[in-house]
């Protein structure tokens, strides 16, 4: 009833696994050899979990292929699944389907044109490692957590509290109406506050675009969260997810605007003004003489652009 880390050899020696020869290979003479019988004579320290015989000698792979095909036809699109599987000594496989969710990537229905000649003064950021895509034509607010300021924040309690601050901004009626882009260091939603902003999905559910800023000097390199419930929630809500690498020479990032524009956090939520050194809420029309942000993301070409669109354009 607790989390424990152990070696694979310790795990298999502590319990009886009748189908173990189907799951492992033996490391011998610099190579991997699949066992040819049910009797495993080599010590467990030489066993490597490969699933070689499981895939070659049982119907598991065809069964999963058939299952996924049927689900895709029923849902009308690919699905993300969770399942358990067991195999007995007669190599009979039993699969329990635990969960399935539509796996739809926004922006894949039609190509998105991302202009390459946008003036630097109108560019908020460019990205070249796009995960999902789409078009968001008008965004009023940007919430920005500076990676360097976040890394320098030594108080774990205050660092943890930033996620709740984001949630309070996210819930504001004017933010939900005007739409918001959220940009922060590392991985949004992580439980490790050293790797990114600790939020739940409900803290960011009104955002139109979620940007993960990766600066290697601050130790924040996003790990794409494919398969996690957090990422699937973004997909199902059509929230565009973009990892941005500001230190990449191809990437443009408008540090000046995000760092120097007036911070509206204290005006919108006076009780949270103490968090302004780390959480910046930018009212873009106020900071840019009426302009809103427009986001174009094309997963096919792996390019994205966030730029300012003047009022009335």
């Amino acid at each position: 009833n607790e989390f424990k880390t152990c070696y694979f050899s310790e795990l298999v020696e502590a319990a009886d696994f009748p189908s173990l020869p189907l799951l492992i290979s033996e490391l011998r003479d610099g190579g991997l050899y699949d066992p040819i019988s049910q009797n495993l004579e080599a010590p467990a320290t030489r066993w490597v979990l490969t699933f070689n015989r499981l895939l070659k000698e049982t119907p598991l792979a065809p069964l999963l292929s058939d299952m996924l095909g049927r689900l895709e036809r029923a849902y009308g699109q690919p699905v993300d699944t969770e399942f358990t599987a067991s195999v007995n000594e007669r190599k009979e496989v039993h699969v329990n389907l635990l969960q399935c969710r539509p796996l739809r990537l926004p922006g894949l229905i039609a190509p998105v044109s991302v202009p390459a000649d946008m003036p630097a003064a109108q560019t908020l950021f460019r990205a070249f490692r796009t995960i999902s895509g789409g078009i968001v034509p008008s965004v009023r607010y940007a919430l920005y957590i500076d990676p360097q300021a976040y890394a320098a924040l030594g108080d774990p309690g205050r660092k943890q509290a930033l996620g709740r601050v984001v949630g309070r901004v996210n819930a504001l009626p004017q933010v939900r109406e005007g739409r918001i882009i959220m940009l922060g260091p590392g991985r949004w939603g992580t439980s490790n506050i050293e790797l990114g902003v600790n939020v739940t999905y409900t803290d960011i559910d009104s955002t139109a675009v979620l940007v993960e800023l990766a600066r290697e000097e601050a130790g924040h390199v996003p790990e794409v969260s494919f398969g996690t419930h957090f990422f699937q929630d973004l997909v199902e809500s059509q929230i565009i997810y973009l990892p941005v690498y500001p230190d990449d020479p191809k990437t443009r990032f408008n540090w000046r605007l995000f760092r120097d524009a007036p911070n509206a956090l204290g005006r919108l939520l006076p009780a949270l003004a103490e968090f302004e050194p780390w959480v910046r809420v930018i009212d873009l029309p106020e900071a840019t003489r009426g302009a809103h942000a427009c986001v174009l993301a094309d997963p096919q070409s792996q390019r994205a652009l966030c730029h300012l669109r003047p009022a009335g354009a």
Side-chain angles (χ1 to χ4, degrees):
N1 205 27
E2 63 180 350
F3 286 108
K4 182 180 179 181
T5 300
C6 65
Y7 287 102
F8 172 68
S9 57
E10 297 174 2
L11 177 67
V12 294
E13 286 181 329
D16 181 30
F17 294 89
S19 302
L20 190 60
L22 295 174
L23 309 181
I24 66 165
S25 300
E26 179 188 346
L27 185 60
R28 172 164 40 93
D29 301 327
L32 288 173
Y33 298 86
D34 298 336
I36 58 176
S37 71
Q38 288 294 111
N39 298 320
L40 298 173
E41 299 179 356
T45 53
R46 284 169 38 190
W47 297 345
V48 180
L49 193 63
T50 62
F51 302 107
N52 279 354
R53 290 184 59 195
L54 178 70
L55 295 174
K56 293 176 183 176
E57 301 176 18
T58 77
L60 176 64
L63 180 61
L64 291 177
S65 177
D66 180 47
M67 181 185 77
L68 290 170
R70 293 189 186 202
L71 290 171
E72 181 173 351
R73 289 191 294 274
Y75 277 82
Q77 57 191 304
V79 293
D80 165 65
T81 67
E82 291 183 10
F83 66 91
T84 62
S86 61
V87 58
N88 60 27
E89 293 176 320
R90 297 188 298 276
K91 301 180 183 178
E92 297 169 335
V93 176
H94 184 82
V95 173
N96 288 304
L97 179 63
L98 305 179
Q99 174 179 285
C100 53
R101 304 173 66 169
L103 188 61
R104 179 190 56 77
L105 286 179
L108 292 182
I109 297 175
V112 177
S113 177
V114 180
D117 56 353
M118 184 65 60
Q122 290 180 241
T123 301
L124 294 182
F125 63 80
R126 281 189 179 274
F128 292 90
R129 307 184 195 189
T130 304
I131 300 303
S132 57
I135 299 174
V136 184
S138 180
V139 180
R140 177 176 176 178
Y141 295 99
L143 182 148
Y144 171 68
I145 299 177
D146 185 277
Q148 290 180 323
Y150 185 85
L153 179 57
D155 182 350
R158 188 167 287 265
K159 218 169 199 176
Q160 189 84 29
L162 296 187
R164 310 296 76 76
V165 175
V166 172
R168 293 281 302 277
V169 174
N170 176 76
L172 289 170
Q174 60 267 51
V175 168
R176 289 182 174 269
E177 181 181 353
R179 313 200 78 176
I180 189 170
I181 298 171
M182 295 185 180
L183 308 94
R187 184 170 179 173
W188 288 93
T190 179
S191 59
N192 186 340
I193 57 174
E194 300 306 318
L195 298 181
V197 185
N198 175 234
V199 293
T200 64
Y201 173 70
T202 55
D203 291 320
I204 56 90
D205 66 351
S206 73
T207 188
V209 184
L210 192 67
V211 177
E212 296 190 342
L213 299 172
R215 299 203 69 191
E216 293 189 12
E217 64 183 49
H220 299 133
V221 180
E223 297 178 5
V224 177
S225 49
F226 278 133
T228 66
H229 289 290
F230 188 85
F231 182 76
Q232 290 301 329
D233 286 334
L234 301 182
V235 170
E236 290 188 13
S237 299
Q238 300 187 50
I239 295 173
I240 296 176
Y241 162 79
L242 300 174
V244 174
Y245 295 72
D247 298 324
D248 188 323
K250 295 186 300 182
T251 300
R252 287 183 182 175
F253 193 82
N254 195 329
W255 293 108
R256 177 176 295 179
L257 184 141
F258 287 112
R259 287 176 173 170
D260 297 343
N263 191 348
L265 177 62
R267 172 170 58 83
L268 295 172
L269 294 165
L272 300 181
E274 63 180 294
F275 291 95
E276 285 191 339
W278 304 282
V279 180
R280 298 183 55 79
V281 179
I282 303 168
D283 188 336
L284 290 168
E286 180 183 279
T288 61
R289 297 181 181 178
H292 285 65
C294 175
V295 177
L296 306 166
D298 179 23
Q300 301 291 354
S301 65
Q302 293 291 286
R303 293 186 302 147
L305 169 68
C306 178
H307 67 92
L308 292 173
R309 173 178 286 180

